[in-house]
Amino acid sequence: MARPKSDDKRNSILAACQAVIVRDGLSATTADIAKEAGIATGSLFTYFPTKADLLNELYVVLKSEMTAELAGALTGGDDKEKLRRAWNAWTGWAAANAGKHQALELLRTSDQLTDRSREFGEAAVRPVFDLISLNAAGKATGITPGFLFELINVVSIATMDNMASYPDRAVEYRDAGFEAMWRIIQ
Amino acid sequence: MARPKSDDKRNSILAACQAVIVRDGLSATTADIAKEAGIATGSLFTYFPTKADLLNELYVVLKSEMTAELAGALTGGDDKEKLRRAWNAWTGWAAANAGKHQALELLRTSDQLTDRSREFGEAAVRPVFDLISLNAAGKATGITPGFLFELINVVSIATMDNMASYPDRAVEYRDAGFEAMWRIIQ
Amino acid sequence: MARPKSDDKRNSILAACQAVIVRDGLSATTADIAKEAGIATGSLFTYFPTKADLLNELYVVLKSEMTAELAGALTGGDDKEKLRRAWNAWTGWAAANAGKHQALELLRTSDQLTDRSREFGEAAVRPVFDLISLNAAGKATGITPGFLFELINVVSIATMDNMASYPDRAVEYRDAGFEAMWRIIQ
Amino acid sequence: MARPKSDDKRNSILAACQAVIVRDGLSATTADIAKEAGIATGSLFTYFPTKADLLNELYVVLKSEMTAELAGALTGGDDKEKLRRAWNAWTGWAAANAGKHQALELLRTSDQLTDRSREFGEAAVRPVFDLISLNAAGKATGITPGFLFELINVVSIATMDNMASYPDRAVEYRDAGFEAMWRIIQ
DNA sequence: AATGAATGAGAATTCATTCAT
DNA sequence: CATGAATGAATTCTCATTCAT
């Protein structure tokens, strides 16, 4: 296999895609993405057969990277501690990777995202979902777990947005966001 | 803003635009919008010089319509009552105008939206913002009013989304959402 | 209706298409065809939604034009006279419209041609087919009418090719071709 | 024509090319041809510097194979017998090698075929041409040998097409085609 | 004004050919 | 030599905007 399809190149295309859509929006051009990745326009398509495929893959990869942060966070301590660590890990990632977080937000609302990708995103996040459901059980009246999670989700996103926008006050926002979330599920 | 010939036609274009972007996403075509409005493709441009102008105007109009609901809600009773009425009015509008609410969400994340439009949207919402700031004062530690409002905002959006998605449980979601919000600002 | 879609322009696109595919083959570019027609690249597509549509339409139009020549030829006189007149009309058209005839040949073998177009071409030619079947009845042993017609068809095409290639001997080729055909059906 | 490394591989590329253009038309991809041949895309170009070269070579090879059938047919017996044997050999080959015959037809009308290849094709067929000229001499009035041969050629092609399409009646078509041809040259 | 055809600058994707491994 | 990824010019088609009628 001469010149094997390199993971490096694949990753650099994904990184370029992320950077360019943050800069130019989802209407960013495959040509621009390729240029940013330092490859020829045609080469992009040997790695991703379609622009939609690239966008979906980027979503999945970023979502995976984001949730990888949770790995260690959910073990040890009581539930509030677990949630606190999860929250910190999660929002910390977003603050440290503002561009990736923004790209994720753009992709989430894109009409190019397939159901498959959306489902993947939900599955990646399920452990936290379960932990929250557990803690909220019997507390919030009339609230379904799905809705509860949706609330938590948007609160976390808003928190990360703010952390990314005002890095020097990031920790404050992080903690305030956690308090808000905790109040919701209590 | 000089009034063009026919406000009726202008409004029907805005309505068509709203319907079409909900159906087809923000990549909807000016030709499709014109067809939905029952006019010729060229005519659209005598009312809106640019597609971006149309989208921004739609945002402003929908935001205005949405906040008009608040008019009566903010007078009389204690603050919680005021907020409750505002909340009900607001989410009620979104539930009853699911398409408009969705369009607003699509536009909010669009890279076509100008700062001007974004500022307008914020201004329209300021009375509620102030009310919330007032109530939260001194409570939530370290939380800025802007961030607080951002949190409330996304909670309300998530609530409206759910209300629109499950109309028969709309009231439950509305109330649960309010409780969540109220806990945040306490 | 401002600036109605003009038949003139439609026809000039068809004419340009014919000229260009004779010059460059079926791989001729829509851009080249548009340029030859004196219109913008995009305009071609307001008349023909697809390159394949254009090619098929050209085939149908040329085939119609070709068979229109037969209109008067098939009435009066005995069958041999009818056939003689049909033959002369037909080959005469091809000789006088060499480019159109060549285009027709290119299109006939194209993999872009739909079954619909092919059927149209056969239908247009049926009157002659019937006349030939009638005359050949009981003569050629074991030969089916379909095969017979196919033979006549290729003989006529070869005749037209030669007439077009050597215009000053066109009449000779025409008559020799007719004799060949007549011998086949006797 | 210097022999490249492996004749086997060269032949398998030609065979693959023939199969693929019958399946997909002349717009078949060099990548597809290579895949069908079981080699890498790049390897194709060590055997044929250009796609056009490959197509022309295929034409020449198939034409050679086809005319090789005539070798023994043209000796012994009177002219009609010779022609009959030639006809049977020829059409028999096409019927037994439908794909090759089709490929030859596609290539004949291709704009990729060079004059050189076309000339080769004519030369390969000259012995039959001469035999026909001899027999037709003085008979068909005003008909040139070239035109005569052209007529015979298309009649043979139509015959082979039909034989390939309806294999169980192949012999009937073969004989009927011969009779048609014989009548033309008488 | 209204109409809708005309415009032409892109956009995504393809593919013959090259070249690093 | 073989491999198959890399290249980038070329292709079809789209669409916001203009403009003749």
Side-chain angles (χ1 to χ4, degrees), chain D residues 67-91:
Chain D
T67 49
E69 298 289 315
L70 298 176
L74 292 176
T75 54
D78 65 17
D79 282 352
K80 185 168 184 181
E81 280 169 49
K82 283 181 193 162
L83 266 180
R84 166 69 82 173
R85 282 197 305 270
W87 184 267
N88 288 1
W90 207 335
T91 57

Side-chain angles (χ1 to χ4, degrees), chain A residues 30-48:
Chain A
T30 53
D32 280 349
I33 295 168
K35 177 180 285 182
E36 173 84 16
I39 60 171
T41 57
S43 301
L44 187 151
F45 294 92
T46 73
Y47 288 87
F48 304 94

Side-chain angles (χ1 to χ4, degrees), chain A residues 113-153:
Chain A
L113 212 63
T114 63
D115 287 346
R116 228 173 111 64
S117 299
R118 247 176 254 281
E119 277 158 28
F120 178 93
E122 278 162 34
V125 134
R126 192 143 312 146
V128 183
F129 176 89
D130 291 341
L131 191 58
I132 288 170
S133 298
L134 216 60
N135 272 274
K139 308 255 181 55
T141 51
I143 209 168
T144 60
F147 181 38
L148 179 64
F149 185 69
E150 184 59 21
L151 289 176
I152 307 297
N153 193 35

